[in-house]
């Protein structure tokens, strides 16, 4: 299988329109004129993904004050996302990409190393999309723990 193409700084962010935890449609275009952190994670309610989501939750006020919205995307179905959101008190949109079309378009699905084996799966990735829809930050294979703090340092938030 060929490597998944990766987005780089300056690329136009691939458009998306996905269902959130409540069954509403959320599109990247909804954030036009604002910066948005788009992060991709493997599975709701798993230890690493929970830590990462809670870090975003705990940093949301500061990110919002700095003009950044946050959106999380995983292959989970909306019902699982709602349960995850409610259990963890998450206050930003969680979007469902069960066919992995958006994950693939953003380079966040493909071959990765897991426990020493090469597998197909979600590549934990984080992007900052600027007000014009361009990629300002593109980070692949990020760590679940400590990643949000590093992103805040990098963005001076």
């Amino acid at each position: 299988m060929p490597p998944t193409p990766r987005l780089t700084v300056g690329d136009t962010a691939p458009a998306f329109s996905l269902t959130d935890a409540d069954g509403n449609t959320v599109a990247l275009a909804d954030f036009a004129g604002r910066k948005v952190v788009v992060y991709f994670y493997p599975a709701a309610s798993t230890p690493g993904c929970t830590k990462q989501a809670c870090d975003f939750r705990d940093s949301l006020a500061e990110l919002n004050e700095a003009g950044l919205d946050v959106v999380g995307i995983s292959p989970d179905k909306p019902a699982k996302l709602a349960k995850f959101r409610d259990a963890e008190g998450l206050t930003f949109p969680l979007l469902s990409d069960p066919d992995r079309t958006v994950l693939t378009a953003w380079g966040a699905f493909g071959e990765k190393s897991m426990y020493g084996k090469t597998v197909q799966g979600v590549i934990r990735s984080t992007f900052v999309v600027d007000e014009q829809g361009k990629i300002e930050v593109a980070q692949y294979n990020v760590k679940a723990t400590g990643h949000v703090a590093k992103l805040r340092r990098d963005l001076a938030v």
Side-chain angles (χ1 to χ4, degrees):
M1 175 144 202
T4 303
R6 300 266 172 115
L7 296 175
T8 58
V9 172
D11 287 348
T12 297
F16 62 76
S17 184
L18 295 170
T19 304
D20 72 5
D22 295 317
N24 301 312
T25 300
V26 176
L28 181 61
D30 296 343
F31 300 95
R34 281 188 59 83
K35 289 186 181 186
V36 59
V37 175
V38 179
Y39 83 96
F40 296 91
Y41 61 99
S45 301
T46 57
C49 296
T50 298
K51 174 67 177 145
Q52 184 179 23
C54 290
D55 282 352
F56 273 115
R57 176 200 64 205
D58 296 346
S59 297
L60 194 60
E62 290 86 358
L63 291 167
N64 289 165
E65 284 173 22
L68 290 150
D69 292 320
V70 175
V71 175
I73 300 176
S74 76
D76 297 306
K77 300 224 179 302
K80 185 175 181 187
L81 295 176
K83 187 175 178 184
F84 181 45
R85 176 200 60 205
D86 295 347
E88 302 303 333
L90 304 176
T91 55
F92 54 87
L94 298 176
L95 307 181
S96 173
D97 184 23
D99 62 6
R100 299 169 179 82
T101 302
V102 174
L103 283 149
T104 301
W106 286 65
F109 185 82
E111 282 191 0
K112 65 179 189 174
S113 180
M114 195 165 165
Y115 306 113
K117 292 184 178 178
T118 300
V119 297
Q120 284 288 114
V122 175
I123 300 163
R124 192 182 303 275
S125 308
T126 300
F127 303 88
V128 176
V129 180
D130 72 13
E131 298 88 343
Q132 289 75 43
K134 300 284 187 192
I135 301 292
E136 187 175 296
V137 174
Q139 299 175 336
Y140 291 93
N141 297 309
V142 299
K143 302 284 183 219
T145 303
H147 166 62
V148 175
K150 181 185 180 321
L151 181 66
R152 288 181 58 189
R153 282 192 307 274
D154 292 350
L155 296 172
V157 173

